């Protein structure tokens, strides 16, 4: 298990250095990481990489390495507390709002929990993506200045 962890950390550091060494602008790297963070945090299990490929294909100026690095950073262990917080935020927003009534009782619960979770996730993923933009941009600038 320890050997696997060391390999993972080594590969993560190597990919992070690849991102820092690219010839693109600080803005491009930071935007790629921010967009990748946003997509990774959204509850789209299994298709987030396809969404990332679509974004890279459409927006040529976004740094693709940073985008996919963000998706690797936001894995199941980091997303579990974020998903919990997403539901709690949605619960705080909706509180005791009247529930939609379906013919099937289970659908009532699924709709209610999903709505609260998705709205809470949107309220949480947006500031995280914006914050990651500024942190990564500052980190890239600092790295580039130290290399000169």
């Amino acid at each position: 298990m320890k050997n696997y962890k060391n390999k993972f950390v080594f590969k993560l550091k190597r990919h992070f250095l690849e991102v820092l060494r690219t010839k693109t602008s600080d803005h491009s790297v930071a935007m790629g990481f921010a967009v990748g963070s946003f997509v990774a945090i959204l509850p789209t299990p299994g298709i987030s990489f396809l969404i990332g490929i679509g974004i890279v294909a459409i927006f040529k100026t976004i740094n693709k390495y940073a985008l996919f690095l963000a998706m690797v950073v936001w894995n199941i262990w980091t997303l579990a507390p974020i998903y919990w917080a997403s539901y709690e935020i949605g619960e705080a927003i909706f509180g005791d709002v009247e529930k939609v009534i379906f013919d099937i009782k289970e659908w009532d619960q699924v709709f209610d929990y999903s709505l609260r979770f998705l709205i809470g996730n949107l309220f949480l993923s947006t500031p995280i993506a914006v914050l990651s933009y500024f942190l990564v941009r500052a980190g890239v600038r600092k790295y580039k200045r130290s290399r000169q």
Side-chain angles (χ1 to χ4, degrees):
M1 180 73 173
K2 190 172 185 175
N3 191 23
Y4 176 74
K5 181 183 172 190
N6 290 339
K7 285 182 181 179
F8 177 74
V9 170
F10 174 76
K11 286 182 180 181
L12 192 62
K13 285 181 181 178
R14 189 180 71 208
H15 290 303
F16 187 70
L17 288 174
E18 283 178 24
V19 168
L20 291 175
R21 291 180 182 147
T22 58
K23 301 286 187 216
T24 58
S25 69
D26 305 341
H27 171 74
S28 175
V29 173
M31 186 58 76
F33 195 87
V35 170
S37 294
F38 185 79
V39 170
I41 292 171
L42 289 178
T44 54
I47 63 168
S48 58
F49 276 101
L50 294 176
I51 294 171
I53 290 169
I55 290 170
V56 168
I58 294 170
F59 302 103
K60 301 293 185 189
T61 59
I62 289 181
N63 187 299
K64 62 185 172 195
Y65 298 116
L67 188 136
F68 290 114
L69 178 66
M71 290 185 177
V72 171
V73 168
W74 295 105
N75 58 39
I76 189 65
W77 302 109
T78 56
L79 288 178
I82 288 176
Y83 286 168
W84 171 80
S86 295
Y87 179 77
E88 292 298 323
I89 290 170
E91 181 70 27
I93 292 170
F94 286 104
D96 293 331
V97 173
E98 187 176 321
K99 296 181 179 180
V100 176
I101 305 297
F102 290 99
D103 292 336
I104 302 171
K105 185 178 180 178
E106 288 77 18
W107 285 21
D108 292 338
Q109 291 177 330
V110 168
F111 180 78
D112 186 47
Y113 290 128
S114 298
L115 180 66
R116 292 169 192 267
F117 173 70
L118 292 174
I119 296 300
N121 188 270
L122 197 58
F123 272 85
L124 192 60
S125 60
T126 303
I128 289 174
V130 170
L131 180 65
S132 70
Y133 171 83
F134 290 110
L135 290 174
V136 169
R137 187 168 184 176
V140 169
R141 282 183 177 173
K142 185 177 179 179
Y143 176 79
K144 287 184 177 181
R145 270 188 254 137
S146 71
R147 297 289 292 174
Q148 290 177 349

